[in-house]
Amino acid sequence: MQKTFVPLILGSLALVVALVSSSAIPPKVRAGLSEEQENDQHPRLLPSRDFVALDEELETRFWHDKAQTILADKLATHEKLNENRAKNVIMFLGDGMSVHTVAATRAFLGDSNKQVYFEKFPYLGLSKTYAVDERTPDSATTATAYLSGVKANYGTIGVNAQVERADCVRGADASTHTQSIGQWAQEAGKWAGLVTTARVTHASPAGVYAHTAERNWEHDGQISDYGCSTEVNTDIARQLVEWNVGRDLRVIMGGGRAYFRDQLMHDEEGNWGLRNDGRDLIKDWQEDKANRGAKGNYVWSLKGLKETDLNQTDYLLGLFDASHLPYHGDRQRSHLEYAEPSLSEMTESAIKLLSRNDQGYFLFVESGRIDMAHHATLAHKALEDTAEFAAAVKLARDLTNEDDTLIVVTSDHSHTMSINGYPSRRQNIFSLAPNQADDELPFTILSYANGPGSGANTYSDDNGRLDLSHVDTTAADFRFQATVPLSSETHGAEDVGVFASGPFEHLFTGNYEQSSIPAMMAYAANMGQHGSEDKLKE
């Protein structure tokens, strides 16, 4: 009796104390937030002086009607699913194009109510981007996933996870090599091609045709630098010219001329090559096409591309820069639009050439410089390239028919850029947030978790965080602030969007492995091992 009675008394006293204490605490403190904390989390912002509301947005009916229109469009889309077999498949890859990048691009285009063109596609999903050995991936392992359907190790391309990065022996073992959707297309009688604003030997486009244990082995000298044999390992540029998938690509356009010529040779603009083997792979490419009785055209400038008769060209190799093509905004600011083609111009030429094949085609289009701008915390340039990327997608959709052409738009991985503070509705996305930080200094709407922007634009040893009040943060070359100092900003690990339009577009909804994307594209086009329900059952 005594043992039971004591705990009951103690429990009752505790309950009384708790009730007395809680009655003296204001409601919001009891809930875990003081009035001051509540205001910090949801500040009462001053009305923006330059914001003028759209009249229709003030009316309840406007939002109801807008929702009804969206609902009607969705119902109409679902009434009849597009289950035609895709004659053509175009995959657009915004390298490093995170969901934040897409949202910021809306604001860059004028307002948060805008839609980046591919956001209008009827179906949207999310893909998981991790590598077999790393939570945060790179463009090499992700290219293997979304082009060949196999997750692999960080830094490797076109091989499975049995190959560790820079393994000189295992990476050369053909039993570890994966097949890309470009190969499936070729085996199905379709033509295949690639377009990129990066080097054509860079990680993403290399996923179409290459197999290597190290993404950096773009030319033979880089293999030697790793202490590996160039006899055992074939560099990526040679694979593009000599190996079956690469040499059969009907369209190859991007940058990287220096990776195809020996260091004692210079290109059309006077830039020296990088190879050590004395070879001119561009000349070898031309000779291969001539030996096969085909018309192969090599071009190195926008003028050359415009002068090319695409109706009389069987194979097109366009290498428009010694390395990567310029950022789209820089291309305009430096008047390079008269010298080098835009992503849209390359995409248009590629579609026109590939469309000549009655059996259809697979085309891979990459905006590679979105990623590079983020690495440099140059958010302005990243959004400019994203806007041009969207323009290329629109052009492709306009040039094709959604009845027979599947277009898939996605990214390989994200970045650490975020949209923060409480900017007004149509405030310049590159400007300062309207509210100041606790140190009474302003901060930018866009910022990064890490990167080179942590240097001169963020902190000083003497004064701490820098005052940006009189800094032009809208300038194209402004490095946006970062928290952690790194010479190059890192990728992010979160999921990325997948937008689809065309035959079997409805397959791309939900959340799924990035490696399932090529299977869905192949099923839509009836090619490769995923091409039909019968093959899926095998």
Side-chain angles (χ1 to χ4, degrees), residues 69-331:
T69 300
I70 293 172
L71 177 60
D73 288 344
K74 289 184 177 295
L75 290 172
T77 298
H78 285 278
E79 278 182 6
K80 185 180 184 303
L81 298 178
N82 184 348
E83 295 186 334
N84 302 332
R85 285 298 184 181
K87 176 181 177 182
N88 314 307
V89 176
I90 305 176
M91 183 178 189
F92 279 90
L93 192 282
D95 198 314
M97 188 181 69
S98 61
V99 172
H100 279 113
T101 304
V102 177
T105 301
R106 293 184 208 134
F108 173 64
L109 294 174
D111 196 352
S112 297
N113 68 356
K114 300 286 186 182
Q115 279 187 303
V116 181
Y117 176 77
F118 48 82
E119 290 186 288
K120 300 176 184 178
F121 281 10
Y123 290 93
L124 165 65
L126 290 171
S127 79
K128 295 179 281 188
T129 64
Y130 65 90
V132 167
D133 61 340
E134 297 285 350
R135 177 170 294 153
T136 303
D138 75 323
S139 294
T141 183
T142 51
T144 307
Y146 63 70
L147 286 168
S148 69
V150 177
K151 290 224 172 189
N153 293 323
Y154 188 100
T156 65
I157 304 172
V159 293
N160 63 29
Q162 297 175 38
V163 179
E164 295 183 359
R165 185 171 187 179
D167 186 328
C168 305
V169 177
R170 196 67 172 136
D173 183 348
S175 70
T176 67
H177 295 180
T178 62
Q179 293 184 350
S180 77
I181 190 172
Q183 180 176 345
W184 301 340
Q186 291 172 341
E187 291 175 351
K190 299 180 184 296
W191 289 356
L194 65 86
V195 167
T196 180
T197 55
R199 296 188 294 269
V200 297
T201 51
H202 209 236
S204 301
V208 176
Y209 61 87
H211 310 277
T212 181
E214 175 53 61
R215 58 174 292 173
N216 289 325
W217 292 347
E218 295 181 61
H219 65 77
D220 63 318
Q222 292 171 318
I223 297 176
S224 300
D225 289 344
Y226 276 73
C228 295
S229 168
T230 56
E231 298 297 323
V232 175
N233 299 275
T234 304
D235 63 82
I236 296 173
R238 273 187 60 198
Q239 290 188 41
L240 180 55
V241 172
E242 298 175 357
W243 289 17
N244 289 339
V245 177
R247 71 190 287 256
D248 285 340
L249 291 175
R250 295 287 179 149
V251 173
I252 303 165
M253 282 192 282
R257 283 195 301 262
Y259 292 71
F260 290 80
R261 288 182 171 131
D262 185 79
Q263 56 188 331
L264 298 180
M265 304 174 185
H266 59 76
D267 68 12
E268 294 78 3
E269 296 180 303
N271 302 296
W272 293 100
L274 295 170
R275 302 188 63 81
N276 294 330
D277 55 9
R279 297 186 61 177
D280 181 345
L281 294 180
I282 297 173
K283 182 180 178 181
D284 292 348
W285 181 91
Q286 292 172 308
E287 291 178 350
D288 173 70
K289 303 306 174 274
N291 292 337
R292 296 162 70 181
K295 176 64 173 177
N297 278 337
Y298 161 67
V299 295
W300 58 272
S301 66
L302 175 59
K303 180 176 182 291
L305 180 60
K306 287 185 173 181
E307 291 177 350
T308 299
D309 185 349
L310 299 174
N311 291 319
Q312 300 297 321
T313 300
D314 298 314
Y315 295 86
L316 176 62
L317 174 62
L319 299 176
F320 303 106
D321 204 294
S323 185
H324 304 302
L325 272 62
Y327 292 113
H328 184 68
D330 287 349
R331 178 178 168 273

Side-chain angles (χ1 to χ4, degrees), residues 457-499:
N457 289 343
T458 306
Y459 297 102
S460 74
D461 293 336
D462 296 331
N463 302 314
R465 209 166 66 83
L466 300 183
D467 185 353
L468 297 176
S469 300
H470 304 293
V471 176
D472 183 9
T473 61
T474 67
D477 289 317
F478 175 76
R479 291 189 188 273
F480 280 76
Q481 294 183 319
T483 305
V484 177
L486 288 176
S487 60
S488 178
E489 179 263 356
T490 71
H491 296 166
E494 69 269 23
D495 300 347
V496 295
V498 185
F499 308 82

Side-chain angles (χ1 to χ4, degrees), residues 4 38 131 147 150 187 193 196 322 356 388 401 425 447 459 526:
T4 304
E38 181 74 18
L147 286 168
V150 177
E187 291 175 351
T196 180
R356 289 172 35 220
E388 166 60 12
N401 190 325
R425 167 71 177 276
S447 63
Y459 297 102
N526 192 24

